[in-house]
Amino acid sequence: MSFIAKPKVAHPSLPRNALGLTRRDYEGGMSTLCAGCGHDSVTAAIVEAIWEMSIRPEQLVKLSGIGCSSKTTAYFDSGGHGFNSVHGRMPSIATGAISANRDLHYVGVSGDGDTLSIGFGQFAHAIRRNLNMLYIIENNGVYGLTKGQFSASADIGTKAKRGEENRQPPVDPVLTALTLGGSFIARSFSGDKEQLVPLIMAGLRHRGFALIDVLSPCVTFNDHQGSTKSYSFIRENYDAVVHADFIAPAQEITASYAAGEAMSVAMHDGSRILLRKLDPSYDPTDRTRAYAYLRSRLAQGEYVTGLIHIDESSPDFHEVSGSSTTPMNQLPYARLSPGSEGLKKILNRYR
Amino acid sequence: MQPTDIRDPGHFHRVVDCQWACPAHTDVPEYIRLIAQGKFTEAYLVNRESNVFPGILGRVCDRPCEPACRRSRVEAEPVAICRLKRVAADHRDDVRPYLPSVPAQKNGKRIACIGAGPASLTVANDLMPLGYEVTIFEKWGTPGGLMRTNIPAFRLPEGVLDEEIGYILDMGVDLRLGSPVTSMERLLAGGEFDAVFVGSGAPKGKDLDLPGRRGPKEVQDHIHIGIDWLESVAFEHVKSIGQRVLIIGVGNTAMDCCRTSLRLGASEVKVMARKPRGFFKASDWELEDAEEENVEIIVNHAPKAFVVEAGRLAGMLFDRMEYDLDADGRILAERVLGEEMIPCDDVILAIGQENAFPWIEDGLGIEFDKWHVPKVDPVTFQSSLPQVFFGGDAAFGPKNIIWAVEHGHQAAISLHKYCQGLPVADRPPPMVTLSSRKMGLHEWSYKNDYNPLERRTMPHVALKERFKKVDIEVELGFTAEQVEIEVQRCMNCDIQTVFDARLCIECDACIDICPMDCLTMTTNAPEEELRSKLKAPALNLDQPLFVSSPLQHTGRVMVKDEDVCVHCSLCAERCPTAAWDMQKSKIQIPYASDEIPPSCLTHKTRKTA
């Protein structure tokens, strides 16, 4: 971690977005994570994405649970709304917030411990309900905040810093989400912002639950030989199946790729994701084949990255539950609260 | 691009922009840091190593360092480097115990220096400690050259001059005042000296031969050549001037002339400029000071004639000009709109000066070009006559004091080599040493916080007070509070970000934290392409790129654009493997004393870094 504040000074020709803001305007407090933590790079990628999308800082809601990952929401978009919830309970808080106001962008940042252990149930139901949020797992395979125990995503055979070997099979959040019917499932690497930034942008635009499992090495407890989530291991065993370019509605699509190598996915708001397929046979809209592909590469010890699956057709939480299209803070009090008479009427319906 | 060779002193020297821009390569960040620590004597001595007149130049330097200051690329105003130099000089203790001492046993070689200006004095400063006997011939009754004769006392008090010149003369220099050299031939024929250094400056002010210039004495007496007139004021031969004065020219000499006129009793002083303001030669701060004293600067007036009425100077006639400028401010076309007579009592011509060598005879072997400027080697300062060297304004025409000092240093190396029978062109190379500034996990031995405060402005003597006498110093020097802020505006450009590619794990931490977007990891490419694909495009071609060797994981390279780095150390703080380190670069500029083994030198040093 750093002990001096990042100076307010900025590059004199730092570009500005449509709102006239620079990247620096989307930063948060100074990170207290270990120097070199992958999570800080994810933070930088989020800053880059929300700046580029010209999201007004106060339009973003940052949600998290407990853990190193969950601290990162403090490090971006200091002008946004934020809620650090209880360990593993971030999806519940997100559900409530999303129910109350569908006009905001929701980013949940969680870790492999927060999501796959204590929060596994909540995670599963958030996917099942297709909550309209971007859910980022900063996945480092280790409980860094409690000094390096294996987490639920640690691979069999991976070694802890002191040499113990993990024997428990891991939970793979991407395979889990595919099984549960997730509508936007991606995996990326904190050290590959070229891939990660467009994925975050697309995830924010996706109507429904967008999961990005980001391999984010723990430089203190899980960046050694024998770890399968170290910087060097990930770089050596990296299988990018697609590279995404996010295209906002206002932008002309200028990139062109040879037929069969690129795929354009239209999103409901008019934006697009242009997928340059590094593996020409890969089809991210086919859930079953995506699952099979992942399993086959996993057997080779490879991390498949990119946009693994997308389905823009499945109804999101608002559609299914018929939630209010007007944010609750804009509803008149009389509509929000039925009053004692109204309550009586409702209760009478059940008598 | 090829990986940057960080063992090459040139790379790090260029990054320290102020030091790079200073002709004498003064170690600016180091002395500013010492001032910040209250070590004024040490700061003075660091300064004096390259710039032998810190007190003088702390007041009147032309400051090539300041436009180069990196701070001005990050915000509007550079660090007030020159003012801080003065702070060290004003608050130092006695520095004599730490100045080079002169051996009692001389080496038998004798050097003649012509003119007791900054170039000759620097030669003496460098050669006396090596055992040379140096004789300086000076036509005036006091030493200092143009520092004394051309710079008014209200900018540079006599006491400051005497003290710093005294440090050199007290080494035992044989100073012969009132002794103009009138014949180089006789000097050489005398055989008294092993080598001669000509540091006689550019003492001839340019005249303006317009109608009316060659009029009766009554008119002549009111038309003055700027530098001669300033000289006469300095030696108190001139004590008054008319009420209405016109100064022709807008260089620094013109600014000195107009301000001096005010002090000699003029009430209406106009500086006449032929071209628009963008073409003025005077330094901004000198223009500001003159305008603060209500000097009127009139642009676009080209002098045409001196107007003589009834045998007296009545004024000057000007063509009123109009210019068409292009987007870069260059003149595309000019037109005369009409004439204008501006009445005055005196005219001072400050349109430039040139060197003059009527005392160097033809046929000695000293070659001159068609403008009668000596042919001098730009590196060794040797003339075509091997034992004669030139420096300062005498060598290449008018520059400024700090250039003269650097010429003196270089000429001293040459003189020493010449006298020792060594090849003069064989110059000692500059060196660089790097040492980490890391003290603990998160501690650095320098203040790395960026200070957002603006440049402090120099307090001046009140307008009413300053005209009472001709030698009241106008600038008061920074207050303690101003010093405290201004030193922290220095961005410590000599504390380099040194990168070791072998240690990098490519985690992006440094790139993410850099407040100035200076760092990028990318695939290597030719420089032009690389400059365009950095996180913030590197458009300032004067600033080098650092390019690492290929990184071990991906084969990409780490590129650092040095342009706007604020040396905050965050890249090094964030780096988990210490691939980045903040290291102080000490650029060692060779002097004549470096030619002598250290064991033979007797002077004491104070450890400063």
Side-chain angles (χ1 to χ4, degrees), chain A residues 14-349:
Chain A
L14 204 57
R16 293 179 180 275
N17 64 12
L19 300 174
L21 301 176
T22 68
R23 283 195 289 266
R24 298 296 304 274
D25 295 313
Y26 288 89
E27 289 179 351
M30 192 69 176
S31 170
T32 57
L33 296 169
C34 305
C37 180
H39 298 1
D40 283 329
S41 285
V42 180
T43 300
I46 295 172
V47 166
E48 181 77 26
I50 57 181
W51 167 76
E52 200 158 311
M53 292 172 78
S54 295
I55 290 175
R56 286 204 314 273
E58 68 278 12
Q59 269 183 311
L60 196 78
V61 183
K62 313 174 288 178
L63 300 143
S64 62
I66 300 286
C68 295
S69 60
S70 296
K71 293 167 76 171
T72 65
T73 47
Y75 310 144
F76 62 88
D77 194 32
S78 55
H81 307 276
F83 200 108
N84 261 130
S85 74
V86 186
H87 205 351
R89 271 64 171 178
M90 177 264 280
S92 299
I93 305 296
T95 308
I98 291 166
S99 308
N101 189 343
R102 61 162 75 185
D103 286 357
L104 302 174
H105 296 281
Y106 293 87
V107 179
V109 183
S110 184
D112 40 323
D114 197 53
T115 293
L116 303 177
S117 291
I118 194 166
F120 199 41
Q122 299 234 340
F123 172 61
H125 289 284
I127 297 172
R128 184 177 67 83
R129 289 174 180 145
N130 208 14
L131 284 178
N132 192 4
M133 71 180 295
L134 170 64
Y135 190 110
I136 293 174
I137 304 177
E138 294 178 336
N139 186 350
N140 56 19
V142 77
Y143 290 134
L145 208 58
T146 51
K147 305 287 180 277
Q149 302 86 345
F150 294 118
S151 82
S153 71
D155 295 304
I156 296 177
T158 193
K159 286 189 173 149
K161 198 175 183 181
R162 290 174 57 192
E164 306 94 320
E165 203 169 289
N166 179 43
R167 294 182 191 156
Q168 307 285 347
V171 177
D172 185 320
V174 169
L175 286 174
T176 306
L178 276 170
T179 317
L180 289 167
S183 56
F184 181 111
I185 302 163
R187 177 176 278 148
S188 192
F189 170 40
S190 67
D192 185 2
K193 287 202 199 68
E194 271 188 47
Q195 186 193 58
L196 180 56
V197 172
L199 285 178
I200 292 173
M201 291 164 73
L204 279 165
R205 283 286 179 220
H206 174 67
R207 185 188 50 175
F209 191 83
L211 170 71
I212 308 178
D213 176 38
V214 186
L215 300 165
S216 170
C218 171
V219 77
T220 302
F221 294 107
N222 209 6
D223 192 40
H224 45 259
Q225 261 197 332
S227 157
T228 58
K229 289 194 171 55
S230 65
Y231 281 106
S232 60
F233 187 91
I234 296 169
R235 287 199 197 277
E236 280 163 24
N237 298 276
Y238 195 63
D239 176 26
V241 288
V242 289
H243 178 83
D245 289 320
F246 177 78
I247 297 147
Q251 283 175 281
E252 187 190 355
I253 300 170
T254 52
S256 65
Y257 300 104
E261 290 181 3
M263 167 187 255
S264 175
V265 179
M267 310 189 86
H268 76 284
D269 67 348
S271 56
R272 287 172 174 273
I273 327 174
L274 195 66
L275 302 170
R276 179 157 42 92
K277 294 203 281 182
L278 302 178
D279 181 338
S281 67
Y282 190 78
D283 178 5
T285 61
D286 185 333
R287 184 185 300 272
T288 315
R289 284 181 64 192
Y291 191 91
Y293 184 81
L294 235 65
R295 288 297 300 245
S296 70
R297 304 315 294 177
L298 201 60
Q300 307 293 317
E302 280 188 5
Y303 291 115
V304 176
T305 67
L307 183 57
I308 289 163
H309 176 64
I310 183 160
D311 177 7
E312 275 288 292
S313 66
S314 42
D316 80 328
F317 172 71
H318 292 296
E319 278 178 75
V320 172
S321 60
S323 59
S324 165
T325 52
T326 309
M328 287 188 188
N329 64 352
Q330 292 169 30
L331 288 174
Y333 182 74
R335 278 198 65 197
L336 270 179
S337 167
S340 49
E341 283 308 307
L343 186 61
K344 263 185 211 161
K345 274 187 202 163
I346 291 168
L347 290 176
N348 281 336
R349 292 220 300 265

Side-chain angles (χ1 to χ4, degrees), chain B residues 38-83:
Chain B
K39 294 178 180 170
F40 301 115
T41 307
E42 286 87 341
Y44 183 87
L45 290 168
V46 164
N47 223 307
R48 195 182 182 282
E49 195 178 322
S50 54
N51 155 22
V52 294
F53 309 110
I56 295 170
L57 287 169
R59 291 168 166 81
V60 299
C61 190
D62 203 39
R63 311 171 196 177
C65 51
E66 292 194 13
C69 175
R70 188 178 303 259
R71 185 95 188 188
S72 61
R73 298 200 288 271
V74 174
E75 55 177 61
E77 294 280 345
V79 175
I81 299 170
C82 189
R83 273 71 161 92

Side-chain angles (χ1 to χ4, degrees), chain B residues 123-366:
Chain B
V123 168
N125 176 74
D126 286 10
L127 293 183
M128 289 300 291
L130 307 188
Y132 286 86
E133 287 174 84
V134 178
T135 300
I136 300 181
F137 295 93
E138 170 57 51
K139 72 172 170 179
W140 298 112
T142 49
L146 67 85
M147 301 193 290
R148 191 181 299 270
T149 59
N150 274 197
I151 300 177
F154 59 84
R155 287 212 291 133
L156 179 56
E158 205 177 353
V160 176
L161 269 170
D162 290 343
E163 191 168 24
E164 291 193 330
I165 293 171
Y167 292 152
I168 297 167
L169 298 179
D170 292 350
M171 292 177 181
V173 175
D174 174 17
L175 175 67
R176 300 186 190 172
L177 295 172
S179 308
V181 174
T182 52
S183 165
M184 178 66 98
E185 190 171 14
R186 275 207 303 280
L187 184 74
L188 294 173
E192 196 186 343
F193 301 103
D194 296 279
V196 175
F197 175 76
V198 182
S200 53
K204 194 177 153 201
K206 284 187 185 163
D207 207 335
L208 197 58
D209 211 359
L210 295 173
R213 176 71 179 98
R214 306 286 160 217
K217 184 174 181 301
E218 188 62 21
V219 174
Q220 294 285 313
D221 285 350
H222 293 277
I223 301 172
H224 317 277
I225 304 284
I227 60 167
D228 297 344
W229 181 76
L230 287 170
E231 221 163 65
S232 302
V233 175
F235 294 127
E236 298 181 12
H237 303 144
V238 165
K239 292 181 178 170
S240 66
I241 197 159
Q243 284 292 305
R244 300 167 303 169
V245 180
L246 293 185
I247 317 285
I248 310 301
V250 262
N252 287 337
T253 302
M255 295 306 113
D256 286 337
C257 288
C258 65
R259 296 176 70 191
T260 301
S261 301
L262 290 170
R263 284 155 178 81
L264 294 189
S267 56
E268 194 186 308
V269 180
K270 292 185 169 75
V271 172
M272 307 303 297
R274 178 189 290 267
K275 291 179 183 169
R277 201 169 175 107
F279 293 86
F280 290 5
K281 287 218 171 81
S283 312
D284 288 344
W285 52 91
E286 301 213 17
L287 284 165
E288 282 164 22
D289 288 349
E291 287 183 314
E292 186 188 322
E293 294 178 2
N294 297 321
V295 169
E296 191 181 355
I297 300 177
I298 299 176
V299 298
N300 299 352
H301 278 62
K304 200 172 184 186
F306 296 89
V307 179
V308 180
E309 287 171 5
R312 300 177 68 91
L313 181 70
M316 264 194 94
L317 190 65
F318 295 88
D319 274 337
R320 279 192 294 113
M321 307 296 293
E322 186 179 63
Y323 298 93
D324 294 335
L325 304 179
D326 68 10
D328 296 326
R330 284 174 300 208
I331 293 176
L332 294 174
E334 59 177 58
R335 283 176 295 282
V336 178
L337 300 180
E339 282 182 355
E340 186 176 346
M341 201 295 256
I342 299 185
C344 67
D345 304 315
D346 285 86
V347 172
I348 301 175
L349 302 171
I351 51 173
Q353 58 196 82
E354 49 200 14
N355 35 21
F357 302 100
W359 49 277
I360 298 181
E361 294 85 349
D362 293 340
L364 292 177
I366 302 174

